[in-house]
Amino acid sequence: MSYGHIFMDTTGQYLFIRELGTGVSCRAQLVHHLPTGEYRVRKVLHRRVPISEDLPRNIGYTVDADIQAIIQFNNETAIVDLLQKSGERDQLKIAALYSHSTHVDEKKKKYSRVSYWSLSNGGDLDSFLADYQHHIPRPFILQFLSQMLTTLQHMYTACHDRLGPMVHNDFHTGNILLHYPSDARSPIPDFHLIDFGLATPLSPASIADDNDFLLPEPGNPPVWDIPRLLRVVDKLLVTWPEEYRAFLHSGGDPIGTAYRLLLDLDRRFQYILQEHRRYVYETKDFSQRLTLPDLRPVIEYVNNCRATLDPDGVETRDHPLCSQAYMRISDAKIAAPQTYSELETITNTRDLPGPWHIGYLDPGRNYQVLDLLAVGNKDTFHRPNEDNENSDTDSAWGDE
């Protein structure tokens, strides 16, 4: 018999597998969703302070790091939830949001803010580039352009009625995940955009006071995403010899053509943005709404390139990318949960943000959860639990 940590959610029970990483505001954990058998990502906000007043609608209005993190947490879940409900989800290459919730320990006045997301099994693009030592083939770059441009186009148009164009506002290699579908035969991954905490409407007409969307400063729209996307393309092209990169940018290659088309769109938008700011400065009229250039002509061009239509063609076949040793989440070493043989040891777990429960696991049946442990006549044991004085897990957040 073994013991493991169980998280409870409206979508069912989750078995804790291992830590994935810790960022400035959140900790990411790999979990196994027991009702479906899927592996997912649990994000836990470090900041656990209660909110006794209305949050500002722009992180620039507060220097409090706790409040900024909570604003971004609320904004991300609200934005992704809205995008997922806007239709054409099959064209939206983002991490899927399954649920989010806030658990409250009234006795200690501590809040645990949690969200559950789909898992991308190839890591982030930044780590991939750091480990990969070969030139990246055209189909890889064109797939990136096709999927990310299509996702951005969806953001720029899907929320027009309510919010107007929505920019991601934090586009970089660390926020792009690679995913290899279980039935994929191609070494070219899908690309998923993540971390919408800073996503902002370009110039919303009006938003109700009771929602969680981040707002831009009046007359100062957020930077749109295409310049940052082009910087990512530059990083991908660094893997090519310098003389060939010059050829790509000269227009003799489909990647170079797409690059120049995007540069042209950016120049046109920068002119529109300059005129918009001049108008707002002179008139103090903040009601004028901005529109973003249409990305569809560039998307159509990229999608019709031969290397896009035939990703497993001559250039990719026998390429070192095919032998890249990426780990799949189905591998036994990755999928095995963290378990404990003694109840006292798991009961005293300190560095695991809760609330979590203790489950009886059967290693002989793929760690099936047989039951949850109850303590005496109290509610099911979990940490933190205000009914159990020994259930303090504040050290998991670095609290004293």
Side-chain angles (χ1 to χ4, degrees):
M1 184 67 65
S2 298
Y3 301 100
H5 300 97
I6 305 295
F7 301 118
M8 306 292 286
D9 183 71
T10 56
T11 62
Q13 297 178 357
Y14 288 88
L15 174 62
F16 173 72
I17 305 297
R18 62 183 173 89
E19 297 286 348
L20 289 175
T22 300
V24 174
S25 61
C26 286
R27 177 181 292 196
Q29 303 163 329
L30 177 63
V31 293
H32 187 201
H33 187 230
L34 299 178
T36 62
E38 295 178 349
Y39 291 92
R40 298 178 179 178
V41 176
R42 179 180 188 255
K43 290 177 64 175
V44 187
L45 192 66
H46 295 317
R47 318 297 180 174
R48 298 203 294 149
V49 297
I51 301 300
S52 58
E53 57 186 22
D54 292 337
L55 291 170
R57 303 297 293 281
N58 187 296
I59 60 173
Y61 295 157
T62 176
V63 296
D64 190 315
D66 287 342
I67 302 301
Q68 289 182 350
I70 295 169
I71 293 172
Q72 292 180 45
F73 176 88
N74 293 341
N75 183 65
E76 177 175 43
T77 54
I79 291 295
V80 174
D81 185 60
L82 181 64
L83 289 171
Q84 290 181 160
K85 293 177 180 178
S86 60
E88 300 182 4
R89 288 186 58 178
D90 57 327
Q91 297 187 26
L92 195 62
K93 294 295 183 179
I94 63 174
L97 172 64
Y98 293 110
S99 63
H100 59 92
S101 58
T102 299
H103 304 274
V104 183
D105 184 339
E106 292 291 355
K107 183 177 292 185
K108 297 176 181 176
K109 302 301 180 185
K110 295 293 178 68
Y111 285 53
S112 175
R113 298 171 176 89
V114 177
S115 55
Y116 289 92
W117 302 81
S118 61
L119 174 72
S120 300
N121 59 15
D124 62 70
L125 184 56
D126 193 54
S127 299
F128 176 88
L129 291 174
D131 296 336
Y132 196 64
Q133 303 299 322
H134 309 278
H135 79 272
I136 295 177
R138 287 182 187 85
F140 186 103
I141 300 175
L142 291 170
Q143 173 98 314
F144 163 79
L145 283 171
S146 173
Q147 294 185 345
M148 290 296 93
L149 288 174
T150 301
T151 297
L152 292 177
Q153 174 69 13
H154 188 84
M155 292 180 63
Y156 297 164
T157 57
C159 306
H160 264 300
D161 292 341
R162 185 173 182 186
L163 300 177
M166 177 73 62
V167 298
H168 183 269
N169 206 25
D170 197 19
F171 194 101
H172 58 80
T173 52
N175 282 339
I176 300 164
L177 300 182
L178 282 61
H179 182 69
Y180 300 88
S182 57
D183 58 349
R185 298 180 179 179
S186 171
I188 308 300
D190 287 329
F191 297 89
H192 294 166
L193 185 60
I194 63 167
D195 201 346
F196 288 75
L198 294 175
T200 311
L202 191 66
S203 53
S206 61
I207 299 180
D209 292 334
D210 59 349
N211 62 45
D212 295 313
F213 298 114
L214 206 62
L215 295 182
E217 296 179 17
N220 188 27
V223 178
W224 82 313
D225 306 297
I226 295 306
R228 293 172 175 172
L229 179 142
L230 290 175
R231 286 197 288 271
V232 174
V233 175
D234 288 335
K235 289 186 177 182
L236 297 174
L237 294 180
V238 164
T239 62
W240 288 82
E242 185 175 353
E243 61 274 14
Y244 193 77
R245 276 182 275 151
F247 169 70
L248 288 174
H249 286 292
S250 71
D253 189 278
I255 295 175
T257 300
Y259 197 101
R260 290 197 329 278
L261 290 172
L262 291 171
L263 278 177
D264 183 60
L265 287 179
D266 183 50
R267 281 192 292 266
R268 287 159 48 191
F269 175 70
Q270 295 304 329
Y271 174 78
I272 295 173
L273 181 59
Q274 182 180 0
E275 291 298 303
H276 171 79
R277 286 173 170 160
R278 182 186 59 81
Y279 170 80
V280 171
Y281 177 78
E282 293 177 353
T283 66
K284 308 303 179 186
D285 178 10
F286 300 110
S287 64
Q288 187 184 58
R289 300 185 70 174
L290 276 169
T291 57
L292 290 171
D294 190 351
L295 301 178
R296 286 176 296 179
V298 186
I299 296 170
E300 183 177 357
Y301 171 78
V302 170
N303 288 346
N304 287 323
C305 291
R306 178 181 297 179
T308 306
L309 297 172
D310 185 21
D312 301 321
V314 175
E315 185 177 351
T316 307
R317 196 176 305 129
D318 299 325
H319 190 279
L321 188 67
C322 297
S323 61
Q324 176 77 355
Y326 58 84
M327 282 287 211
R328 293 193 181 280
I329 199 60
S330 58
D331 291 348
K333 291 182 180 179
I334 294 180
Q338 180 175 333
T339 60
Y340 300 79
S341 59
E342 297 181 0
L343 179 60
E344 182 179 0
T345 305
I346 189 172
T347 301
N348 293 320
T349 302
R350 304 297 297 173
D351 194 29
L352 185 67
W356 47 259
H357 303 245
I358 295 177
Y360 291 112
L361 308 181
D362 186 351
R365 289 192 283 177
N366 197 26
Y367 299 100
Q368 178 180 341
V369 178
L370 302 179
D371 199 0
L372 297 182
L373 176 66
V375 179
N377 295 322
K378 297 179 181 179
D379 294 336
T380 301
F381 181 85
H382 67 87
R383 296 195 171 191
N385 182 350
E386 63 179 5
D387 294 326
N388 186 335
E389 292 294 341
N390 297 318
S391 71
D392 185 11
T393 56
D394 287 348
S395 64
W397 282 270
D399 298 341
E400 296 182 356

